[in-house]
Amino acid sequence: MKKVMQFVLSGCLALALAGCSKQQSSSASSSGSSASSDSSSGQTKTITFWHLDTTDDQQKAWRTIADRFEAKHPGVKIEITVLANDSFKQKLSTVMQSGWAPDVFRSWGGGGMYDQEDAGMLRDISGLIKNDPNVAKIGKGAMGVYADGAKQFGIPYDMGVVGFWYNPVILQECGLTTDDFATWSKFLDSCKKIKAKGYAPVALGEQETWTGHYWWTYIAQRLGSQEDFLDAYNGTNGGAFNKGSFLKAMEMLQEFVATKPFQEGYMATSQVEQEALVADRKAAITLMGQWAPSTGRDNSTTGGGDPFGFMPFPTIEGGKDELVNAQGGGNGYCIGKDAPDEAVEFVLSFFEPENYRIIVKDLNAIPLLEGYDDLIDDNAKKVVKAVADAKYYQLYYDQFLPSAVAEDIKDATAAIIANDGTMTPQQACDKIQKSWEANK
């Protein structure tokens, strides 16, 4: 379903953050196999809850929140299924094709959610949440990521940005500061200096292809900004994803890959290993979302590794975009089509102070509500500021656009990043445009 856009998420999203995770690859279930919401034993009502937070501490955090809800709601059982990012997406797609959806499941909103709406897999919860005092404090921009017009299908619990996360020790050793990454030409020169010191300039885990697609989308944004994206999306002014700034971005990505900026074996490296390489002082920079510091710490091979710093993706000389503009998104939960009212109440309980403190502190969320500044570190505060300062904020392409288009974007950019000659920049962009025309 194509949602005709007059604007992309912008300054309104900052209102969501005024008060102010893709994790280790594994799978587990805290209470056995998933069951439908109307399954019962006696008077017990089971709510199926699927999340992606796989470390022991993160699983404990969600179990604590679930236990608290069960204690306040006798006869309700929260059945938790834990899946790593790609496994989650695959399994969710499979079960929905069979006509079933979990009652509560992780979502990034946008195009993937619209596909689920079109398939009849979501429940409109607008009537159940309209009078909730905590939801009323979340900005309309953030809530809009999980809505289609007046219909609300989910609720976000954090919102952040994708940018350059770097190892300060490496940059200092190389004699570099964040100013040396402010433009694309400066970034390329800095990569040479980092490589000369024996480090990989950039960590990439392209085993999971969503990690690499950020490079194409960010270069395209810096070249064409909101104007070119809207033209390609809406088919106005001759805009398309296989010409202009989008084709130029793919060509620039190919040229960048040819400089060999990534660590050895990057096509077989996982996303969590990508962040750990920066924490472990093996690579200087990674292009990733707000979860990067915690993922790097949790998956470090050296007992936590170095702290991370943050800086925006560089501008491109001659491009239309500004340094303050950003790409990103957040994390939230959608409600399955057959979910009982208690499933919605469970999600609303996330924002109760005792629970939201757990979500911010133990799940590394960027808070959407006031009163949690004491729980976030300097990096999180930088993310909050980056979102607030953005004049143009673009939701991740692989979440904003339809799922089929997102998959083709990831496949096309992966072919360019692999640098194996299987696809030219023009062919990659043609693949994306053809997919857009077929699925918009």
Side-chain angles (χ1 to χ4, degrees):
M1 176 185 293
K2 180 181 176 183
K3 312 297 172 182
V4 177
M5 264 195 330
Q6 302 304 317
F7 62 91
V8 186
L9 299 176
S10 56
C12 62
L13 187 57
L15 299 175
L17 301 168
C20 318
S21 197
K22 292 149 176 153
Q23 301 292 344
Q24 179 179 342
S25 180
S26 67
S27 64
S29 174
S30 67
S31 51
S33 61
S34 171
S36 63
S37 62
D38 61 357
S39 64
S40 61
S41 176
Q43 296 182 355
T44 300
K45 182 174 291 186
T46 299
I47 295 173
T48 52
F49 173 42
W50 288 21
H51 72 73
L52 311 181
D53 300 300
T54 59
T55 69
D56 290 344
D57 287 344
Q58 292 166 339
Q59 292 189 54
K60 181 180 178 182
W62 281 122
R63 188 67 256 175
T64 297
I65 292 171
D67 288 345
R68 286 175 176 171
F69 186 82
E70 290 175 351
K72 294 177 181 179
H73 298 79
V76 175
K77 175 185 177 184
I78 306 298
E79 183 177 272
I80 301 178
T81 296
V82 186
L83 295 163
N85 183 69
D86 283 358
S87 297
F88 165 82
K89 292 176 180 176
Q90 292 168 4
K91 188 169 183 178
L92 185 66
S93 176
T94 299
V95 299
M96 285 190 172
Q97 287 174 15
S98 73
W100 181 84
D103 296 320
V104 178
F105 60 92
R106 182 75 160 266
S107 174
W108 299 272
M113 185 192 73
Y114 296 147
D115 290 345
Q116 294 161 0
E117 175 193 0
D118 289 346
M121 289 291 109
L122 303 179
R123 180 179 177 183
D124 178 9
I125 61 173
S126 54
L128 293 175
I129 67 173
K130 63 181 180 181
N131 295 320
D132 184 82
N134 291 316
V135 169
K137 297 174 185 176
I138 300 175
K140 291 182 179 179
M143 289 295 290
V145 175
Y146 294 84
D148 180 10
K151 296 179 180 180
Q152 192 77 37
F153 298 110
I155 305 174
Y157 65 82
D158 87 335
M159 196 68 67
V161 296
V162 172
F164 276 171
W165 294 94
Y166 64 91
N167 186 304
V169 177
I170 294 179
L171 262 61
Q172 184 176 19
E173 183 180 334
C174 295
L176 299 169
T177 69
T178 55
D179 288 340
D180 295 308
F181 298 84
T183 67
W184 187 252
S185 60
K186 286 184 176 181
F187 165 63
L188 294 178
D189 287 341
S190 296
C191 286
K192 294 176 184 177
K193 294 177 181 178
I194 294 168
K195 187 181 288 190
K197 287 289 187 178
Y199 298 105
V202 177
L204 179 63
E206 192 61 3
Q207 184 183 84
E208 302 162 50
T209 54
W210 62 268
T211 55
H213 96 288
Y214 292 141
W215 284 94
W216 176 65
T217 63
Y218 240 128
I219 295 171
Q221 177 171 325
R222 290 299 192 235
L223 288 170
S225 197
Q226 183 179 22
E227 177 184 344
D228 285 13
F229 182 85
L230 289 176
D231 281 343
Y233 185 94
N234 291 321
T236 53
N237 300 314
F241 291 112
N242 63 345
K243 61 173 71 171
S245 58
F246 297 100
L247 176 57
K248 177 64 175 176
M250 201 68 82
E251 293 170 343
M252 289 178 65
L253 176 58
Q254 183 183 57
E255 293 167 359
F256 177 57
V257 172
T259 69
K260 298 183 178 180
F262 309 125
Q263 81 283 356
E264 290 291 329
Y266 62 89
M267 293 301 294
T269 300
S270 71
Q271 174 247 323
V272 298
E273 291 170 334
Q274 170 179 326
E275 277 105 301
L277 286 167
V278 177
D280 289 342
R281 214 177 296 176
K282 302 295 184 182
I285 295 168
T286 186
L287 179 61
M288 192 49 65
Q290 64 270 17
W291 54 85
S294 60
T295 304
R297 178 196 66 221
D298 293 343
N299 295 279
S300 168
T301 61
T302 61
D306 295 331
F308 283 42
F310 177 80
M311 56 184 164
F313 192 85
T315 58
I316 295 176
E317 293 85 347
K320 300 177 184 178
D321 207 39
E322 299 180 44
L323 193 65
V324 296
N325 293 337
Q327 289 185 21
N331 298 293
Y333 283 92
C334 279
I335 307 299
K337 66 183 181 70
D338 295 322
D341 290 354
E342 288 86 351
V344 182
E345 293 172 16
F346 175 54
V347 174
L348 292 176
S349 77
F350 298 173
F351 302 95
E352 295 170 0
E354 63 177 0
N355 289 334
Y356 202 53
R357 289 187 71 83
I358 290 176
I359 288 173
V360 173
K361 181 176 182 294
D362 296 334
L363 300 175
N364 307 298
I366 305 299
L368 296 175
L369 302 176
E370 294 182 358
Y372 299 89
D373 285 2
D374 60 311
L375 300 179
I376 62 175
D377 62 15
D378 288 342
N379 277 329
K381 291 174 182 176
K382 289 179 182 178
V383 171
V384 170
K385 187 176 187 304
V387 176
D389 289 348
K391 300 175 184 177
Y392 162 41
Y393 181 99
Q394 171 62 54
L395 183 64
Y396 318 117
Y397 279 33
D398 69 334
Q399 298 304 324
F400 187 84
L401 298 172
S403 298
V405 181
E407 291 304 310
D408 284 324
I409 287 174
K410 290 185 286 186
D411 289 345
T413 53
I416 297 300
I417 289 170
N419 197 30
D420 58 6
T422 58
M423 196 173 286
T424 66
Q426 184 67 67
Q427 289 170 332
C429 289
D430 285 345
K431 178 183 178 71
I432 293 167
Q433 179 63 22
K434 182 178 179 180
S435 180
W436 172 241
E437 290 172 357
N439 294 285
K440 61 185 177 181

